[in-house]
Amino acid sequence: SSMGRPREHNDETREHLLQVAGAIIRRGGTEALTVRGLAAEAGVTTRAIYSLFSGLPEVVAELCNRSSAAMLRHHEAVPVTDNPISELLPLALAFRAGAREQADLYDKLYTPTAVADPAAATEYPPQIQRTIGRVQDTVRRAILAGQLRRPVNDHEVFQGLWAIVHGLTSLELRGVLGTPRECDRIWHQTITDHVRGLAAPT
């Protein structure tokens, strides 16, 4: 026929493989991802995987790129204002939105690790360095504007916020925070109460 043969392994197959790989990682972590397991679950041959990806590291790297891009997009959509303390709730909700968009990789990508020297800074995954920078900048601007209680340490303020959003996200993604409506309420209430506690008396 004049239509020609369709490409055996196309963008649709690639997208399907990425979605299945994400689901496998969500269930068992990256160590659960194998070429054979991915092929079997996606209903393709191992050859199909190698025709679209150089190997599993490329599959995971692509998922990581998508996740960090989603996180960054949500954070950069929050406007920088002359009232920095008011940005903290939208930034927390941006983190939640980015995590939910790429839920499969949350534990792998967004769990910081302690570095060997306890006095050194916590090591955050490279995927979220720019995202973290956006929040740290807001905290520093709020301190400069006199909006936070004194004495105030920007690193400690950030770590407190991080602990809350990371905890809420982990619980929500595990389905233990309740219905979507309950999750919305818990997020808004918890962040609002925390920010109110940080605020300098007016």
Side-chain angles (χ1 to χ4, degrees):
S1 76
S2 59
M3 286 175 68
R5 289 177 60 194
R7 276 164 60 209
E8 192 180 349
H9 307 307
N10 56 15
D11 291 345
E12 203 174 307
T13 310
R14 180 183 168 87
E15 194 56 42
H16 177 57
L17 283 166
L18 286 166
Q19 287 179 7
V20 173
I24 292 170
I25 290 169
R26 187 173 192 175
R27 289 199 310 267
T30 46
E31 58 274 17
L33 186 64
T34 64
V35 172
R36 280 187 175 173
L38 176 57
E41 198 163 319
V44 302
T45 61
T46 55
R47 192 173 124 250
I49 295 172
Y50 286 115
S51 75
L52 292 163
F53 300 96
S54 59
L56 292 182
E58 189 187 339
V59 174
V60 174
E62 174 63 23
L63 290 169
C64 289
N65 288 341
R66 288 180 178 203
S67 186
S68 55
M71 224 10 128
L72 198 58
R73 187 176 71 250
H74 285 290
H75 278 73
E76 291 189 342
V78 177
V80 175
T81 69
D82 55 6
N83 181 20
I85 199 169
S86 72
E87 296 167 29
L88 293 174
L89 175 60
L91 286 170
L93 297 175
F95 186 90
R96 178 194 184 199
R100 286 168 64 182
E101 198 170 307
Q102 297 289 338
D104 299 332
L105 286 170
Y106 183 77
D107 284 335
K108 174 180 169 52
L109 289 186
Y110 300 106
T111 303
T113 49
V115 287
D117 174 7
T122 311
E123 203 161 275
Y124 290 97
Q127 288 83 3
I128 51 166
Q129 296 290 0
R130 277 175 67 189
T131 300
I132 285 169
R134 169 74 177 88
V135 181
Q136 288 172 328
D137 175 64
T138 299
V139 170
R140 290 187 194 114
R141 286 168 35 241
I143 291 169
L144 287 172
Q147 293 184 313
L148 304 186
R149 286 178 184 272
R150 301 204 174 280
V152 70
N153 173 310
D154 64 317
H155 178 67
E156 286 177 8
V157 172
F158 175 79
Q159 290 286 72
L161 286 164
W162 170 261
I164 292 169
V165 297
H166 183 52
L168 287 172
T169 302
S170 298
L171 293 174
E172 180 173 1
L173 295 182
R174 284 173 172 76
V176 295
L177 270 196
T179 65
R181 183 175 288 183
E182 286 169 331
C183 289
D184 285 346
R185 190 173 67 247
I186 290 167
W187 268 90
H188 280 82
Q189 194 66 55
T190 305
I191 302 297
T192 301
D193 287 350
H194 183 69
V195 171
R196 196 177 288 138
L198 290 173
T202 49

